[in-house]
Amino acid sequence: MSPSPSRHNPRFVLQCLWIASMLVTASALQTVTMNDSTVNVVRSPAAQFQHNRTVYFLGGGASWIEYDIADWTTTDRGADALPFQMTGYVAGFNRNWYTQIGSIAYFEWGDDIIRGVDLSSLHDLTAPYDTALATRPLSGGPRGCLASREDTQQIFVSGGTPSLTNTYDAKNPSPVQVYNILTDTWEVGVPDLQQYRREHACVVHPGTRELFVIGGYSRGAGYINTIERIQTDNIASQSWSFNSPNLPAGLIRAFAVYNPVDDNILTISGTVLGIGYSDWILAIDPYTSSVSQVGTLNSAVNPSAVMVNHLQYTGVFVFPAADNGVWQRVDITDPPTSKGPTEDPTTADPTIAAPTKGPTAGPTTAVPSKAPTADPTTADP
């Protein structure tokens, strides 16, 4: 294990200069710190989901917090309010361990079991709360990533380690497993990632139907700055390719969401070796392959995030997965100037929107404007 670089180390200084020189920030997205005293409830980690007008912050045991998008109010139902355990945070390491299709929240439980929770019946005390759907054929351990595709009802599990104490050799590829919800089967022969990685971000872009795997950590390569992508139509017959360009720096524990307004992928925050938590909001354009900075968080955090679509508002809610109680909202469209409408949308689930357009122009800028704030505690996460 190599030590974390000092801020006075020449290699560290050169890394910072390289990052700063790559791009000049154009902060198109506005970040709002949600300062309401009822909002900043510190119970980590939380998985975030949206159903109709409600954002759900669940997990860290049986914790249950709700945020009403229509009137911008918070309800804390308590640290032990859920009738089931929803952990997702193991030995100090967060992971992208949840995803959502329609009103169903899917998450890993016990490292290898995929479970589902129907958010529409969460308040019904007589309803079955969660269902064990399937056990993965290969262990992915506590540091993999879950993504989903709504139209085909598939869950994609990428990377990770067999256990906290047993990591894959850096020379071996990371497994990718695909669960078909409708047939209750696992696909056979899905190509492995080209580069071993854990604690990475992942998301399916609904327009190109590609799975993107972003950053992460490898015991051999360290913090990874590469992005891999694969077509998910008939995925067993496809192959992975590296996106070009790479991320501006090796990045772990970031969070990726699909942005339906700009039809791109947003990568939120993450940790950079020797620097700490980043405040970056990066956009990956799936059509031009460009990577650019489009905003910054007000506070650099170890993130959990969800894309929110409610009537005329679209934005990303960012919850600190481990370290502080500052909630943030990244506004993609203008938020209401007053309390929003009280009715729910007429559609069953506004969580995942189909892409509305292709990009109109390639980005003109590209990397983070300022460095994050705190050193990670070790070189090996």
Side-chain angles (χ1 to χ4, degrees):
M1 181 183 298
S2 58
S4 298
S6 164
R7 296 181 188 275
H8 303 290
N9 186 307
R11 292 180 61 190
F12 170 75
V13 174
L14 288 174
Q15 180 189 29
C16 292
L17 291 173
W18 173 73
I19 294 173
S21 67
M22 281 187 65
L23 310 158
V24 178
T25 301
S27 297
L29 301 183
Q30 299 301 312
T31 301
V32 177
T33 300
M34 301 162 70
N35 290 318
D36 188 325
S37 61
T38 64
V39 168
N40 294 331
V41 179
V42 183
R43 277 198 300 275
S44 59
Q48 295 191 46
F49 308 99
Q50 181 203 346
H51 179 60
N52 289 338
R53 58 188 277 177
T54 303
V55 178
Y56 294 89
F57 303 87
L58 308 176
S63 177
W64 177 354
I65 306 169
E66 295 178 11
Y67 191 82
D68 191 314
I69 312 163
D71 58 16
W72 307 95
T73 58
T74 305
T75 302
D76 182 3
R77 300 189 178 277
D80 299 310
L82 287 176
F84 55 88
Q85 292 290 311
M86 191 173 180
T87 54
Y89 194 79
V90 181
F93 299 100
N94 76 307
R95 55 182 174 172
N96 293 316
W97 54 283
Y98 63 90
T99 189
Q100 182 175 348
I101 299 177
S103 66
I104 310 298
Y106 296 98
F107 60 99
E108 285 185 309
W109 187 84
D111 293 344
D112 295 321
I113 300 173
I114 307 294
R115 303 185 76 90
V117 177
D118 190 343
L119 299 172
S120 66
S121 63
L122 196 58
H123 290 270
D124 182 359
L125 297 180
T126 65
Y129 290 102
D130 66 332
T131 303
L133 297 176
T135 300
R136 286 185 275 171
L138 296 174
S139 175
R143 302 179 189 179
C145 186
L146 265 64
S148 58
R149 181 172 163 180
E150 184 178 30
D151 61 338
T152 57
Q153 298 283 295
Q154 291 174 299
I155 296 175
F156 302 86
V157 186
S158 59
T161 59
S163 70
L164 285 170
T165 58
N166 179 18
T167 58
Y168 292 119
D169 186 278
K171 297 179 181 179
N172 293 335
S174 290
V176 178
Q177 301 168 75
V178 182
Y179 177 62
N180 294 290
I181 298 170
L182 297 179
T183 60
D184 187 25
T185 57
W186 290 89
E187 288 203 31
V188 177
V190 178
D192 290 339
L193 293 169
Q194 296 189 67
Q195 187 173 12
Y196 162 80
R197 63 186 77 214
R198 69 189 197 215
E199 298 182 77
H200 52 281
C202 64
V203 67
V204 174
H205 185 275
T208 65
R209 303 184 302 281
E210 290 175 287
L211 171 63
F212 285 75
V213 173
I214 304 161
Y217 180 84
S218 164
R219 186 171 290 271
Y223 286 49
I224 298 171
N225 68 346
T226 60
I227 302 167
E228 293 189 53
R229 54 197 294 181
I230 190 172
Q231 174 59 243
T232 58
D233 289 341
N234 302 311
I235 190 171
S237 63
Q238 308 290 347
S239 59
W240 289 92
S241 62
F242 285 105
N243 189 80
S244 180
N246 295 329
L247 297 169
L251 192 65
I252 69 169
R253 302 173 190 163
F255 210 96
V257 294
Y258 168 64
N259 173 9
V261 174
D262 298 313
D263 195 18
N264 61 15
I265 293 168
L266 296 180
T267 300
I268 309 296
S269 190
T271 300
V272 179
L273 179 63
I275 298 177
Y277 300 143
S278 86
D279 57 7
W280 303 345
I281 304 173
L282 303 177
I284 302 171
D285 189 317
Y287 304 99
T288 66
S289 302
S290 64
V291 179
S292 60
Q293 185 181 8
V294 293
T296 58
L297 296 176
N298 289 342
S299 177
V301 295
N302 194 2
S304 167
V306 64
M307 176 63 69
V308 171
N309 292 296
H310 176 70
L311 299 181
Q312 287 80 35
Y313 174 74
T314 302
V316 184
F317 279 54
V318 181
F319 187 91
D323 302 282
N324 58 58
V326 179
W327 294 20
Q328 299 170 79
R329 192 185 74 234
V330 180
D331 294 332
I332 298 173
T333 60
D334 292 335
T337 56
S338 61
K339 289 186 177 181
T342 56
E343 71 274 10
D344 286 343
T346 55
T347 56
D349 179 25
T351 304
I352 304 174
T356 56
K357 60 181 179 64
T360 56
T364 57
T365 60
V367 150
S369 57
K370 62 175 181 174
T373 54
D375 288 342
T377 55
T378 62
D380 179 355

